[in-house]
Amino acid sequence: MSDPKDQTTIIPHSQQPLVTRAYPNTEELEKIILSSADAQKQWAKVPLSGRITIANKFVDEFSKMSNEIPGELTLQMGRPISQAMGEVRGFLDRARYMISIAESCLADVSLEDTDKPGFKRYIKRIPLGVVLVIAPWNYPYLVSINSVLPAIIAGNSVLLKPSPQTPLTAERFALALTRAGVPFTVIQVVHLSPKLTEYAVRHPKVDFVSFTGSVTGGKLVQEVASHAGGFKGVALEAFLGGKDPAYVRADADIDHTVAELADGSFFNSGQSCCAVERIYVHESIYDDFVPKFVNIAKTYKLGDPTKPDTNLGPVVSLASAERIRKQVEDAVKAGAKKLVAEEDFPVAKPGTTFVAPQVLVDVNHSMELMMEETFGPVIGIQKVSSDEEAVKLMNDSPYGLTASVWTKTDSNPESEQAFLRIVDELETGTVFLNRCDYLDPALAWTGVKNSGRGISLSKFGYDQLTRAKSVHMKIQTQ
């Protein structure tokens, strides 16, 4: 089977073509990679202060585009236009934070306090070289900013490969960077077929690969990189998959918790790596919690994402919709009970990308619904009798991206101690208290198990995109 020559983005809600992008041939891709490697050497010579100045100009240039982006994003991946601006704001917030810490994170580490007389030692942070960023479609701006901008500030060049579903996002990102003063060959967007992506991953001039996507895709990237010769760095960033749990303790503020967890479950049609996908509720409040959650689910307006009153859009593809429906039906066959009537959302018909919000009870861990990523507007709620049972179930997963605990620590010191014990016991990258589905750029974004390997954001994000070089000077030789 021959490799495709181009890609076409299909609008999720209408199933009509949006844009088509041609793939380079192998010779063209080779030139792109070599030009990136050459450009990186020159870019690294620009003083850090100069790169930071350009990064600040980039924020201004991207801000000028902000009114054009929501509509484009809605057509590419289906998020309601009423919610799309949130990704722009989050993108800019993360950019500003990573710029603000760049100087301290990339400065030489002095050892002057422990230097012996006649010696000077320090550690430099050196760019890796050419960084290939393979970005996802579900939060294309928010995920890309985590690695692309810090990589460029650190002195790397970047090849940015967007998902075929969201090609315009990478093009806008690169346009803002070049308008700010980043050389065109330092940030290049590459639309690649699977075969060409493998070529880029194993290319000797590509020094580091940052991948965000499926577990299957991450394993393939790792395998290809391992056969590339040498020891190529690979970050299978903490977005490979998630089945993020929430535990609602007996003293939780139920109204607050229900509202927050419904949003964490259904926002972006559940298509978030850190969406809440399973909820464990203490048996003493279970009967109060569930109907309130169902009532919120029934208020969602599912439909055309380009309309301002829609707050639940389609999932990304017909294949995704069918997979989600099958997971729900398999759970029902195994004994689960659906609490949202299908007639409440008549637009959610088989053969469409519209999937109704669904709440299931009488679920357990023998069901795929509670074990494997749904990536849709569906939640399973399970009753538990204790913290110990909740933690055991929360950890009973091949994934470990985020987890949330809901309890009143402000008025109950025992609840705070319980939360801190649970933090230590959970096998996950981030633990939230009384919130969920959120990234703070000052905190390390990371995961365990099949949720990936690597760190982005925070000061540790710069460590991943640089290497240490030690300098040991004997100044006095006599």
Side-chain angles (χ1 to χ4, degrees):
M1 184 176 178
S2 61
D3 209 34
K5 303 298 183 183
D6 56 33
Q7 63 184 38
T8 297
T9 300
I10 302 298
I11 301 171
H13 73 279
S14 70
Q15 291 297 288
Q16 296 300 307
L18 178 63
V19 293
T20 297
R21 292 291 182 266
Y23 295 139
N25 58 38
T26 304
E27 292 75 18
E28 291 168 336
L29 179 57
E30 178 73 14
K31 290 179 181 178
I32 291 170
I33 294 173
L34 293 179
S35 69
S36 183
D38 289 341
Q40 187 276 324
K41 293 181 177 64
Q42 299 304 313
W43 178 243
K45 295 177 182 178
V46 176
L48 175 59
S49 60
R51 299 197 298 265
I52 291 174
T53 296
I54 290 174
N56 280 311
K57 291 180 181 177
F58 157 75
V59 169
D60 295 336
E61 291 296 338
F62 191 86
S63 297
K64 295 174 184 177
M65 303 177 179
S66 59
N67 290 331
E68 305 167 58
I69 290 172
E72 284 184 355
L73 192 59
T74 294
L75 292 177
Q76 288 174 91
M77 51 75 63
R79 187 179 309 138
I81 196 165
S82 61
Q83 300 168 347
M85 183 57 81
E87 183 159 1
V88 176
R89 290 191 294 268
F91 177 96
L92 292 170
D93 286 346
R94 294 183 193 181
R96 292 186 182 106
Y97 181 79
M98 295 307 289
I99 293 168
S100 74
I101 65 171
E103 185 174 5
S104 61
C105 291
L106 298 171
D108 294 347
V109 179
S110 173
L111 301 174
E112 182 179 3
D113 289 346
T114 57
D115 280 339
K116 296 178 181 179
F119 289 86
K120 181 179 180 180
R121 300 165 302 151
Y122 60 97
I123 303 168
K124 297 175 65 67
R125 299 305 309 182
I126 303 299
L128 299 175
V130 177
V131 175
L132 171 63
V133 176
I134 304 175
W137 55 264
N138 60 322
Y139 283 96
Y141 287 112
L142 283 180
V143 175
S144 296
I145 193 64
N146 294 355
S147 51
V148 172
L149 186 60
I152 288 175
I153 293 173
N156 300 287
S157 61
V158 172
L159 300 172
L160 176 55
K161 182 210 170 298
S163 164
Q165 192 66 44
T166 50
L168 303 181
T169 60
E171 293 169 10
R172 281 209 176 271
F173 195 161
L175 179 60
L177 284 166
T178 55
R179 284 178 174 174
V182 176
F184 288 93
T185 44
V186 168
I187 173 64
Q188 298 186 71
V189 175
V190 286
H191 303 290
L192 302 177
S193 66
K195 183 177 179 180
L196 287 171
T197 301
E198 290 188 29
Y199 180 91
V201 168
R202 65 172 176 264
H203 197 284
K205 291 292 186 180
V206 171
D207 300 286
F208 188 81
V209 181
S210 175
F211 172 85
T212 305
S214 68
V215 174
T216 300
K219 288 180 176 178
L220 178 60
V221 167
Q222 180 174 262
E223 180 181 358
V224 172
S226 70
H227 291 94
F231 298 96
K232 190 187 298 287
V234 175
L236 308 174
E237 301 228 16
F239 309 94
L240 288 187
K243 193 70 184 175
D244 290 4
Y247 170 38
V248 185
R249 299 185 78 240
D251 69 340
D253 180 335
I254 292 184
D255 290 338
H256 167 81
T257 302
V258 166
E260 292 290 309
L261 286 177
D263 184 65
S265 301
F266 300 137
F267 188 83
N268 205 37
S269 297
Q271 299 171 124
S272 170
C273 56
C274 58
V276 176
E277 294 216 0
R278 49 196 174 112
I279 301 174
Y280 304 99
V281 182
H282 192 272
E283 59 187 6
S284 64
I285 59 170
Y286 180 86
D287 290 338
D288 190 14
F289 179 93
V290 171
K292 289 186 175 183
F293 195 100
V294 172
N295 287 340
I296 290 180
K298 290 179 178 179
T299 66
Y300 275 85
K301 178 67 178 296
L302 175 66
D304 184 342
T306 64
K307 294 183 177 180
D309 60 340
T310 297
N311 63 358
L312 190 67
V315 295
V316 71
S317 67
L318 292 172
S320 180
E322 290 308 308
R323 179 186 54 76
I324 295 165
R325 292 188 183 101
K326 183 178 186 303
Q327 193 182 69
V328 170
E329 292 310 312
D330 286 348
V332 171
K333 290 176 184 177
K337 180 181 178 181
K338 294 192 291 186
L339 299 183
V340 179
E342 294 179 0
E343 53 265 27
D344 290 343
F345 296 91
V347 71
K349 299 176 181 177
T352 74
T353 53
F354 293 105
V355 177
Q358 188 55 264
V359 182
L360 294 100
V361 294
D362 298 336
V363 293
N364 59 63
H365 280 218
S366 70
M367 302 171 183
E368 182 182 285
L369 178 82
M370 297 297 283
M371 295 298 291
E372 284 298 330
E373 191 170 38
T374 302
F375 228 59
V378 175
I379 191 72
I381 305 178
Q382 186 169 347
K383 185 188 302 183
V384 295
S385 61
S386 66
D387 291 354
E388 290 74 21
E389 183 183 8
V391 169
K392 182 179 178 180
L393 290 169
M394 293 168 87
N395 285 338
D396 182 27
S397 172
Y399 304 102
L401 186 52
T402 80
S404 59
V405 179
W406 304 76
T407 189
K408 289 183 178 178
T409 59
D410 58 340
S411 58
N412 189 347
E414 291 182 1
S415 291
E416 182 174 1
Q417 291 304 311
F419 169 73
L420 295 175
R421 286 196 301 272
I422 292 170
V423 168
D424 289 340
E425 294 170 2
L426 286 175
E427 299 164 358
T428 189
T430 297
V431 183
F432 296 107
L433 172 67
N434 296 331
R435 76 179 313 177
C436 58
D437 192 24
Y438 181 82
L439 272 71
D440 182 335
L443 294 174
W445 187 240
T446 187
V448 299
K449 304 179 185 178
N450 281 351
S451 288
R453 180 185 67 216
I455 297 175
S456 63
L457 299 177
S458 79
K459 66 178 184 179
F460 298 108
Y462 279 108
D463 289 347
Q464 179 169 272
L465 296 163
T466 57
R467 65 177 178 85
K469 176 182 278 189
S470 296
V471 180
H472 192 148
M473 302 167 62
K474 183 177 183 181
I475 299 171
Q476 297 178 2
T477 58
Q478 292 183 359

